[in-house]
Amino acid sequence: EAGVAQSPRYKIIEKRQSVAFWCNPISGHATLYWYQQILGQGPKLLIQFQNNGVVDDSQLPKDRFSAERLKGVDSTLKIQPAKLEDSAVYLCASRRPGTGFYEQYFGPGTRLTVT
Amino acid sequence: SQQGEEDPQALSIQEGENATMNCSYKTSINNLQWYRQNSGRGLVHLILIRSNEREKHSGRLRVTLDTSKKSSSLLITASRAADTASYFCATDAGMNTGKLIFGQGTTLQVKP
């Protein structure tokens, strides 16, 4: 089966600019996650969707970050305006539906550099 | 916030040796998972151990879980250069959301 797709793979922007990332999860995976991974750290969950509804966005900086998953399939994460500290890899992951013991499948990530 | 702390932060061994990484966490869990990350393949799931399990094996991997000590260990036996990567533990608190909290990771270098 095809994996989680993300684009772009790399993005360089100046501070105060805006940027958007796209993710297409594995077909049939109802749960989608966006993570931020700063160099040298583990991934930190930003937002979790179940179909097109938000399950958890407690760690999303809502003054500058937004995310949507309108049709319950692909998703976009936007940063506006970007700050230097937003430089990180943004990972998208998906998980099969249900409450069983399931792992997450990760995309290759988008490496963002804010200058 | 990060729940897990991993030890050591970095580990360097020779090919053929065993590598052991430890993970400690703070709150009750439903299951604990280990992931590997390298530049070539991104973040990949390795193994999942449920809270009622104490040990699990998968190929050259052995994971233990001690819920009384809130700790887990990952053992890679007969390591290979291809095992060079960062390894992360991730805890699932079991809120039926599948939400994972990742540790800081252990960077493993296996020298040929």
Side-chain angles (χ1 to χ4, degrees):
Chain A
E1 69 186 348
V4 177
Q6 288 189 249
S7 67
R9 293 294 308 276
Y10 305 92
K11 191 74 177 179
I12 300 174
I13 62 172
E14 295 181 352
K15 59 184 179 183
R16 292 187 290 273
Q17 287 187 325
S18 63
V19 64
F21 314 125
W22 174 82
C23 171
N24 193 304
I26 293 172
S27 177
H29 282 197
T31 309
L32 184 148
Y33 309 83
W34 282 103
Y35 291 87
Q36 179 191 59
Q37 186 176 22
I38 293 172
L39 186 64
Q41 298 182 16
K44 183 184 84 171
L45 180 69
L46 292 175
I47 188 168
Q48 176 182 345
F49 291 95
Q50 180 73 21
N51 296 307
N52 60 349
V54 175
V55 175
D56 185 339
D57 63 357
S58 57
Q59 296 199 80
L60 186 74
K62 298 180 187 65
D63 58 334
R64 299 184 299 106
F65 287 65
S66 64
E68 60 183 12
R69 193 183 184 199
L70 290 175
K71 296 182 180 179
V73 181
D74 55 353
S75 175
T76 56
L77 176 69
K78 297 179 181 177
I79 307 175
Q80 181 179 11
K83 293 185 176 181
L84 295 177
E85 59 260 37
D86 298 332
S87 293
V89 175
Y90 291 84
L91 297 165
C92 179
S94 69
R95 177 179 175 269
R96 68 179 68 183
T99 57
F101 297 90
Y102 302 134
E103 69 267 34
Q104 294 184 17
Y105 294 82
F106 284 81
T110 297
R111 183 176 298 276
L112 174 67
T113 302
V114 182
T115 63
Chain B
S1 61
Q2 312 273 174
Q3 147 125 279
E5 291 194 4
E6 293 175 68
D7 171 59
Q9 289 191 350
L11 182 60
S12 181
I13 59 174
Q14 295 294 135
E15 210 165 26
E17 295 180 338
N18 295 341
T20 300
M21 291 159 250
N22 302 296
C23 167
S24 60
Y25 57 92
K26 299 173 185 174
T27 61
S28 297
I29 61 170
N30 172 275
N31 67 82
L32 184 146
Q33 304 179 27
W34 285 89
Y35 287 79
R36 180 181 65 211
Q37 186 176 41
N38 58 32
S39 57
R41 291 196 60 197
L43 201 61
V44 175
H45 177 264
L46 294 177
I47 195 166
L48 181 154
I49 186 165
R50 304 180 185 192
S51 60
N52 62 353
E53 296 176 315
R54 291 297 165 259
E55 187 172 311
K56 201 162 183 180
H57 297 255
S58 176
R60 295 184 294 112
L61 305 180
R62 172 179 170 253
V63 169
T64 62
L65 179 64
D66 187 334
T67 53
S68 67
K69 295 181 179 178
K70 291 187 169 59
S71 67
S72 175
S73 67
L74 171 67
L75 168 68
I76 304 174
T77 60
S79 63
R80 306 166 181 168
D83 294 328
T84 295
S86 292
Y87 292 81
F88 296 91
C89 68
T91 53
D92 181 342
M95 307 296 284
N96 291 331
T97 63
K99 176 180 177 178
L100 294 178
I101 300 178
F102 282 81
Q104 299 277 33
T106 293
T107 299
L108 172 66
Q109 181 185 31
V110 181
K111 300 175 185 176

